[in-house]
Amino acid sequence: MPSISGKTIGRLCVYRRQLQRLRDEGKSNVYSHQLAALTGGSAAQVRRDLMAIGYRGTPYHGYRIDELSGSIASFLDDPDGQEVALVGLGNLGRAILAYFDGWRPHLTITAAFDVDPGKVDRVIHGCKCYAIAKLESITRRRKIAVGVICVPAREAQTVAEKLAGGGVKAIVNFAPRRLHLPDDIYVEDIDVTTALEKAAFFALEHKRQPDSKAK
Amino acid sequence: MPSISGKTIGRLCVYRRQLQRLRDEGKSNVYSHQLAALTGGSAAQVRRDLMAIGYRGTPYHGYRIDELSGSIASFLDDPDGQEVALVGLGNLGRAILAYFDGWRPHLTITAAFDVDPGKVDRVIHGCKCYAIAKLESITRRRKIAVGVICVPAREAQTVAEKLAGGGVKAIVNFAPRRLHLPDDIYVEDIDVTTALEKAAFFALEHKRQPDSKAK
DNA sequence: TCACATTTGTGATTTTTGTCACATAGTTAT
DNA sequence: ATAACTATGTGACAAAAATCACAAATGTGA
Ligand SMILES: NC(=O)c1ccc[n+]([C@@H]2O[C@H](COP(=O)([O-])OP(=O)(O)OC[C@H]3O[C@@H](n4cnc5c(N)ncnc54)[C@H](O)[C@@H]3O)[C@@H](O)[C@H]2O)c1
Ligand SMILES: NC(=O)c1ccc[n+]([C@@H]2O[C@H](COP(=O)([O-])OP(=O)(O)OC[C@H]3O[C@@H](n4cnc5c(N)ncnc54)[C@H](O)[C@@H]3O)[C@@H](O)[C@H]2O)c1
């Protein structure tokens, strides 16, 4: 079975976003090399990725934006929609809640959890905050399969286990800790600190060798 | 010249963070397989990465935590320290500012920029906010080489060009837009939306095939 | 109609990344 | 000593990802 790579999935998300933008601009067709320029890849890469989901363009006309968009959507999205649980309403958690508030209807953060009694039972950015103790029962009852972890690093593992216990199958983890979970649970780490340190390193390289053209 | 891969750089940052934690726990030595378990890689991977920076452990004792930590630091860090400029003090920008406030001294966010007159000239989370018009002159004068973009997507390209114009050499970009910049400027994208959509996809896979053991 | 330009789809190839496996070296126990 | 362990460093290998390059398809224009 020709399973599809995680990198391709990521790029498909990016393609789709750019397609939406092109459609808003009134375009109806797009070439692989245009999509490549917009997303920072190569034309061949784009074609390979689209091949993976079975959508076929037509030579000379490229891809029909609406069709391709729909093709990606039917590949990536749950037609019933998906709910997301977010744990930890600190600075980051609230920023994310605000950002995704009113987001596309098929993927919505519909439950938040925190230990802080000052946040529990309030509605924040359109999302009800529950006590952490209710996490497992609520995710299980509502069949929530996606979680976001925005709690301090020390709490991350515990929270991850609760999410897993509540039937969550995929987690976006902002805490700088490797989560130890059953193999069948997908974890996408977002490590802001590492990203910054990495950038700092490349800036430093630049200072160490003021000439090189390396990317 | 045996240039070092970006992936290795990223992992070195992660190793270092875990080393610090181990040291705080009073440990003085660590084995490659322990570091691997802590960071989610393999022991061989860890050894390869450390080989890349030239640090050598000793069989049976593994690596000395303080030495290795220092080795990584001297490889990654600017001994003079590095300043970072953050642009866009919205929800996300402020969360990041709060998070890195009082961070390790060698990498500090020391200047923030925004268009909003309500934020300009105030000090937020220990960081002075300047008018966006002053970006290029301030980064240039203070030789700031690292920037973080937290402005709305539509403004990201313009801001990126200003950063580049001010001599910034590496950028962490939170806006969901591919930045078009000279090749010698490093860009690290952090795409939260894609991360969430990707996680949602894998959760969905789970629902589509309730059996598979795939990671 | 036919030469020519443009773009897709994909086999072949290259480049990058990660893993294996084992010689080497340090440690312990007898 | 020396046998038995344990862990590193690294050449050889395997897997994954990206790129190349070209046949096939589509449109253009004389
Ligand atoms: N803020 C950032 O920009 C940023 C950047 C990088 C990483 N992170 C990571 O994201 C996480 C959150 O960061 P933050 O700045 O929002 O922290 P924060 O301290 O502002 O917020 C943490 C929130 O989690 C809640 N919490 C604590 N323990 C909990 C538990 N067991 N169950 C449920 N809720 C709990 C707290 O009540 C608080 O609301 C941290 O792991 C941090 O390392 C944040
Ligand atoms: N908040 C999140 O969790 C989140 C998640 C994913 C991506 N993002 C991305 O991060 C960026 C910021 O998100 P946010 O939620 O903080 O948005 P926000 O609207 O809360 O903040 C944007 C800030 O940028 C400032 N700004 C606007 N134009 C500017 C300019 N030209 N120069 C300087 N400052 C300018 C605004 O005054 C405002 O303070 C966006 O691109 C968003 O797509 C945010």
Side-chain angles (χ1 to χ4, degrees):
Chain A
M1 131 187 3
S3 185
I4 209 161
S5 110
K7 298 228 169 154
T8 294
I9 300 299
R11 283 188 300 259
L12 286 171
C13 297
V14 176
Y15 298 154
R16 172 161 65 169
R17 185 158 55 217
Q18 297 304 327
L19 288 173
Q20 242 121 43
R21 196 159 144 239
L22 288 170
R23 203 182 38 186
D24 291 345
E25 290 171 4
K27 305 270 172 49
S28 72
N29 290 81
V30 68
Y31 300 128
S32 59
H33 67 264
Q34 297 177 314
L35 217 35
L38 240 35
T39 59
S42 71
Q45 175 99 80
V46 170
R47 295 201 295 271
R48 271 249 185 276
D49 288 336
L50 299 190
M51 204 169 67
I53 60 166
Y55 181 78
R56 321 214 24 151
T58 55
Y60 208 82
H61 281 145
Y63 306 93
R64 294 220 41 167
I65 288 177
D66 50 1
E67 278 180 13
L68 176 52
S69 231
S71 241
I72 296 179
S74 73
F75 183 79
L76 293 179
D77 301 339
D78 188 331
D80 304 331
Q82 284 173 290
E83 296 183 52
V84 178
L86 184 145
V87 191
L89 285 175
N91 292 314
L92 183 61
R94 287 194 310 268
I96 289 176
L97 225 42
Y99 184 67
F100 286 107
D101 188 21
W103 195 246
R104 315 240 290 301
H106 70 281
L107 189 59
T108 334
I109 303 179
T110 50
F113 300 90
D114 206 300
V115 276
D116 183 349
K119 284 160 189 154
V120 170
D121 288 331
R122 289 182 44 210
V123 174
I124 298 174
H125 294 300
C127 181
K128 178 81 178 282
C129 178
Y130 301 93
I132 186 73
K134 295 187 181 161
L135 196 158
E136 301 193 45
S137 63
I138 290 181
T139 53
R140 190 163 288 288
R141 174 156 8 100
R142 285 161 55 177
K143 300 203 193 315
I144 296 177
V146 183
V148 180
I149 294 183
C150 298
V151 299
R154 139 184 299 128
E155 306 288 335
Q157 179 62 38
T158 309
V159 165
E161 286 165 13
K162 285 184 185 158
L163 285 168
V168 164
K169 296 302 179 192
I171 293 174
V172 176
N173 173 41
F174 281 91
R177 275 285 198 293
R178 172 66 39 168
L179 301 178
H180 210 320
L181 293 171
D183 279 1
D184 63 342
I185 295 191
Y186 178 82
V187 178
E188 176 83 21
D189 285 299
I190 297 189
D191 190 335
V192 181
T193 304
T194 293
L196 184 63
E197 291 184 345
K198 222 170 138 182
F201 172 79
F202 285 107
L204 180 59
E205 281 284 88
H206 228 285
K207 178 175 162 188
R208 283 172 174 158
Q209 317 183 0
D211 46 342
S212 87
K213 287 280 161 201
K215 201 246 149 115
Chain B
M1 137 186 0
S3 186
I4 209 161
S5 110
K7 299 227 171 158
T8 294
I9 301 298
R11 283 188 300 257
L12 286 171
C13 297
V14 175
Y15 298 154
R16 171 160 67 169
R17 186 160 52 217
Q18 297 304 327
L19 288 172
Q20 242 122 43
R21 194 158 144 242
L22 289 170
R23 201 182 40 187
D24 291 347
E25 290 172 4
K27 305 271 170 51
S28 72
N29 291 83
V30 68
Y31 301 127
S32 59
H33 68 266
Q34 296 177 314
L35 217 35
L38 241 34
T39 60
S42 71
Q45 175 100 78
V46 170
R47 294 202 296 271
R48 271 253 185 270
D49 289 335
L50 299 190
M51 206 169 66
I53 62 165
Y55 181 77
R56 323 221 14 160
T58 55
Y60 207 81
H61 281 147
Y63 306 94
R64 294 222 36 167
I65 288 176
D66 49 0
E67 280 180 13
L68 176 52
S69 229
S71 241
I72 295 178
S74 73
F75 183 80
L76 292 178
D77 301 339
D78 188 333
D80 303 333
Q82 285 173 289
E83 296 182 53
V84 178
L86 184 146
V87 191
L89 285 175
N91 293 315
L92 183 62
R94 288 196 309 269
I96 289 176
L97 224 42
Y99 184 67
F100 287 107
D101 188 21
W103 196 245
R104 317 241 288 299
H106 70 279
L107 190 59
T108 333
I109 302 179
T110 51
F113 300 90
D114 205 300
V115 276
D116 183 348
K119 284 160 192 154
V120 170
D121 289 331
R122 289 181 46 208
V123 174
I124 299 174
H125 293 301
C127 180
K128 178 82 179 279
C129 178
Y130 301 95
I132 187 74
K134 293 187 182 164
L135 194 158
E136 301 193 47
S137 64
I138 289 180
T139 53
R140 191 162 288 289
R141 174 155 11 98
R142 287 160 56 175
K143 301 202 192 318
I144 295 177
V146 183
V148 180
I149 294 182
C150 298
V151 298
R154 139 184 298 128
E155 305 287 335
Q157 179 62 38
T158 310
V159 165
E161 286 165 13
K162 284 185 185 162
L163 285 167
V168 163
K169 296 303 180 191
I171 292 174
V172 176
N173 173 42
F174 281 91
R177 275 283 197 296
R178 172 67 36 169
L179 302 178
H180 209 319
L181 293 171
D183 280 0
D184 63 341
I185 296 191
Y186 178 83
V187 177
E188 176 84 20
D189 286 300
I190 297 189
D191 190 335
V192 181
T193 304
T194 293
L196 184 63
E197 291 184 345
K198 222 170 137 181
F201 172 79
F202 285 107
L204 180 59
E205 280 284 88
H206 228 286
K207 178 175 162 188
R208 283 173 174 158
Q209 318 182 359
D211 46 343
S212 86
K213 285 283 161 199
K215 201 246 150 109

